[in-house]
Each structure stands twice: as structure tokens, then as C-alpha cells.
């Protein structure tokens, strides 16, 4: 009975995620259609003749009704065909492959640093709550969240790239680079993203564990003579997994979706930089493709967080 209930809940989350992604695809397509300007005019330029503009609109299918163009685009997306970039005629799926790999590499490096560090700092803040360590960590978190990512990025460039010259100011990567050279190239954007998400994850980890620490079984464990760290590790932490996982997944989603500003600052060849380059060219198919991929990553990570929360719930795993 318990396993069937868990599977039903997971199936519901997956179906809801699919429906939400479908709704987002409609919003993305509709949003790009109401943008001011003429796609054909932006491709051919102001000197194009009316006949040339009409021929291009017909070739691109711009004269078709909106719902037909949406279903044509959605059908292509479902088969892995995102269309062709209007600005350079290149296949969007091919261009996105390398860009997505670069963004995921940057986000993974930032996550490898930030997630364990956030959980460790959260545990330390709980262990020494209301003490000097707790106040120091909380003060650092508050200062970190008060600074926008572009400001942190430019500070890093000023000190570590210009003054100390430890790392390059521009994060240029290419396929033939060694792993070490790639890590050095992305050090500054990875550290920027780490600081952006670290404080929030640490504060939410601290709050989740402190909430569990108010439970009666925690008091029982303390009365048994267990040390503070043992109480946190064996009793509080396992029961705080669900909210912590939710926070971690939300911040991982931000690492992938929210890299636009950081990639532009460090001229990093990822999805964010690709999106900004083609927004300025009014390349609608590219904007639609990148927006849908960002939405899919965000929704997918939230679904994973929901599934982990379901599996971590002892009342679902061990029903009476």
C-alpha cells in the first residue's frame, strides 16, 4: 500500500511537471510573437523591398496563423529540432549542444563548492547557535545576499584578474582545453555563482535543522547524553533532509538558469551568453529554444526535489 501510494505521488508530480512545461512553452511562444518589430525586416534590413519581405515571411511561415506556427514549433521541439537561427542560418540544436555543456560544467563546479560548504556552515551555525561562530556565519550570509552578482563579478575581476593576475578576466573555453586549464578559466565565474547561492542555502539549512531541533525526540536524544554533533547528525539532519533538498535543488536550478548575468560579465560561451547575443539580433527561434531549455531544467530539478521529499517522508515509506 505504501509503495503504491508513493508511486502514485511520483507519477502525479511527473504529469504536473509535463503540463507545466507545456504551459510554459505556450507562454514563451506567445511572448516572442508579441515582441515589437518585424522579423523579416530585421533579417533583410531597412533597405529591403516589400516583395522581398513578403517572400521571406512566406518562406519562414510568418503568414500562417499563430496556433499553426506554435504546433509546428512544438512538434519540432519534441523531435529535437529547434529550427534554424535566423541571424546565421545555423542549426540551433547543434549550436546549443556545446553551449549547454559549458553552462552545465560551470554550474556543476559552482555546486560542488557551494552545496557541501553551505550544509557544513549550516551545521556549524546550529551547533554554535547564538554564539560568535553563528553570528559570524549569519553576518557573512547577509552581506553576501546583499551584493548583486554583477557587483561580485566585477570585484573578482578587479582583484584577482587585474591586480593579482591569478585568473583570466575573460573565461574563454574550447574543446581542446585540458581539464585544469578549463577549471582555471572558469574559476572567477564559478566563485561568483558560489557566493550568490551559498548564503541562501546555508541560511535555509540552518533554519530547517533548528526547526527539527524543537521536536520532542531531539530532547530525548539530548537526555540520553548524546553530544550536540551526534544529536544533529543522527536525529536532526535525517529529518531535515526534505526541506534542505528543496533548497539545494532550487539553488541548483538557479545556477543553470540564472547564469545569464555571470556569463555576460565573464564572456563565457554558455547558454546565457548565447541568449543575450541573439536577443539583440531579435533571433526569435533561438530565444524560444533557450527559454524552453531553461524552463525544462528549472521544472525538472523541482520535480526531483519533490520526489526526494516524498521518498524521505517516513510517514509515506512506513505507513501504519
Amino acid at each position: 500500500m505504501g509503495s503504491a501510494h508513493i508511486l502514485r505521488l511520483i507519477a502525479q508530480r511527473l504529469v504536473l511537471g509535463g503540463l507545466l512545461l507545456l504551459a510554459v512553452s505556450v507562454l514563451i511562444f506567445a511572448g516572442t510573437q508579441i515582441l515589437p518589430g518585424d522579423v523579416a525586416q530585421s533579417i533583410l534590413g531597412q533597405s529591403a523591398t516589400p516583395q522581398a519581405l513578403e517572400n521571406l515571411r512566406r518562406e519562414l511561415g510568418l503568414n500562417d496563423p499563430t496556433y499553426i506556427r506554435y504546433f509546428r514549433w512544438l512538434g519540432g521541439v519534441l523531435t529535437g529540432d529547434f529550427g534554424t537561427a535566423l541571424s546565421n542560418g545555423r542549426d540551433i540544436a547543434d549550436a546549443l549542444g556545446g553551449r549547454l555543456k559549458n553552462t552545465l560544467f560551470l554550474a556543476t563546479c559552482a555546486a560542488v563548492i557551494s552545496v557541501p560548504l553551505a550544509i557544513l556552515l549550516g551545521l556549524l551555525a546550529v551547533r554554535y547557535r547564538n554564539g560568535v561562530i553563528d553570528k559570524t556565519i549569519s553576518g557573512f550570509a547577509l552581506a553576501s545576499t546583499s551584493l548583486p552578482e554583477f557587483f561580485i563579478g566585477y570585484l573578482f575581476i578587479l582583484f584577482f584578474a587585474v591586480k593579482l593576475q591569478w585568473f583570466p578576466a575573460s573565461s574563454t573555453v574550447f574543446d581542446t582545453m585540458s581539464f585544469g586549464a578549463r577549471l582555471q578559466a572558469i574559476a572567477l565565474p564559478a566563485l561568483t555563482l558560489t557566493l550568490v547561492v551559498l548564503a541562501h542555502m546555508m541560511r535555509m539549512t540552518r533554519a530547517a535543522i533548528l526547526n527539527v531541533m524543537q521536536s520532542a525526540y531531539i530532547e530525548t536524544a539530548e537526555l540520553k547524553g548524546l553530544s550536540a554533533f551526534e544529536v544533529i547528525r543522527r536525529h536532526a539532519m535525517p529529518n531535515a533532509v526534505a526541506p534542505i533538498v528543496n533548497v539545494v535543488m532550487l539553488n541548483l536550478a538557479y545556477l543553470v538558469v540564472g547564469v545569464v548575468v555571470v556569463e555576460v560579465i565573464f564572456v563565457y560561451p554558455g547558454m546565457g551568453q548565447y541568449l543575450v547575443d541573439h536577443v539583440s539580433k531579435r533571433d526569435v527561434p533561438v530565444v524560444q529554444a533557450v527559454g524552453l531549455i531553461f524552463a525544462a531544467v528549472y521544472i525538472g530539478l523541482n520535480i526531483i526535489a519533490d520526489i526526494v521529499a516524498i521518498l524521505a517522508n517516513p510517514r509515506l515509506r512506513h505507513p501504519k
Side-chain angles (χ1 to χ4, degrees):
M1 181 68 179
S3 298
H5 184 54
I6 289 176
L7 290 176
R8 185 165 58 251
L9 289 175
I10 292 175
Q12 288 176 355
R13 295 300 190 278
L14 294 174
V15 171
L16 287 174
L19 292 175
L20 180 58
L21 185 58
L22 181 64
V24 170
S25 73
V26 174
L27 291 176
I28 290 173
F29 188 85
T32 55
Q33 298 308 302
I34 62 176
L35 289 173
D38 183 3
V39 174
Q41 190 82 64
S42 65
I43 294 174
L44 297 180
Q46 297 297 323
S47 59
T49 64
Q51 185 60 46
L53 291 173
E54 181 61 28
N55 292 338
L56 183 58
R57 291 192 190 99
R58 189 182 305 110
E59 180 184 342
L60 297 176
L62 298 177
N63 294 329
D64 296 335
T66 303
Y67 71 92
I68 291 179
R69 285 185 281 127
Y70 167 72
F71 284 114
R72 184 191 301 136
W73 171 70
L74 183 63
V77 168
L78 293 175
T79 59
D81 180 14
F82 289 97
T84 304
L86 301 178
S87 55
N88 54 22
R90 186 179 176 187
D91 185 75
I92 296 174
D94 291 341
L96 284 177
R99 297 277 186 161
L100 180 59
K101 182 179 70 173
N102 289 341
T103 292
L104 291 177
F105 180 73
L106 174 60
T108 300
C109 291
V112 167
I113 301 171
S114 60
V115 173
L117 189 57
I119 294 175
L120 176 61
L121 290 176
L123 290 173
L124 287 174
V126 172
R127 170 62 182 86
Y128 300 102
R129 60 184 178 276
N130 300 323
V132 176
I133 294 179
D134 182 22
K135 291 179 180 178
T136 302
I137 294 175
S138 297
F140 166 77
L142 182 61
S144 178
T145 53
S146 301
L147 297 175
E149 54 214 64
F150 68 86
F151 184 75
I152 296 174
Y154 285 129
L155 279 182
F156 281 170
I157 290 174
L158 175 62
F159 287 104
F160 295 112
V162 177
K163 293 187 177 298
L164 299 177
Q165 298 184 357
W166 289 354
F167 303 105
S170 152
S171 300
T172 304
V173 296
F174 44 87
D175 292 338
T176 57
M177 288 181 73
S178 65
F179 183 72
R182 188 180 288 263
L183 286 179
Q184 184 179 20
I186 69 159
L188 293 185
L191 288 175
T192 302
L193 286 173
T194 296
L195 280 183
V196 169
V197 301
L198 176 63
H200 183 242
M201 281 194 291
M202 186 281 298
R203 293 175 66 187
M204 295 306 295
T205 299
R206 178 184 183 275
I209 298 176
L210 281 177
N211 184 54
V212 173
M213 294 289 286
Q214 310 302 319
S215 305
Y217 61 85
I218 296 295
E219 184 178 350
T220 302
E222 291 173 341
L223 291 174
K224 288 181 179 179
L226 295 177
S227 66
F229 267 121
E230 280 297 298
V231 171
I232 295 172
R233 184 181 66 84
R234 293 175 55 184
H235 298 279
M237 190 67 181
N239 290 281
V241 165
I244 291 174
V245 167
N246 272 292
V247 172
V248 168
M249 287 300 174
L250 284 173
N251 281 276
L252 290 181
Y254 176 79
L255 284 177
V256 177
V257 178
V259 295
V260 176
V261 173
V262 173
E263 287 186 358
V264 171
I265 291 172
F266 293 97
V267 200
Y268 183 71
M271 294 278 288
Q273 181 70 47
Y274 186 63
L275 174 64
V276 171
D277 288 345
H278 286 79
V279 164
S280 61
K281 301 173 184 175
R282 205 181 184 280
D283 202 328
V284 173
V286 173
V287 176
Q288 292 171 340
V290 176
L292 190 62
I293 290 175
F294 278 160
V297 170
Y298 194 86
I299 293 172
L301 288 174
N302 276 275
I303 291 174
I304 293 174
D306 286 344
I307 292 174
V308 171
I310 291 171
L311 296 176
N313 191 333
R315 289 175 294 181
L316 295 176
R317 288 186 286 110
H318 306 290
K320 292 182 179 180

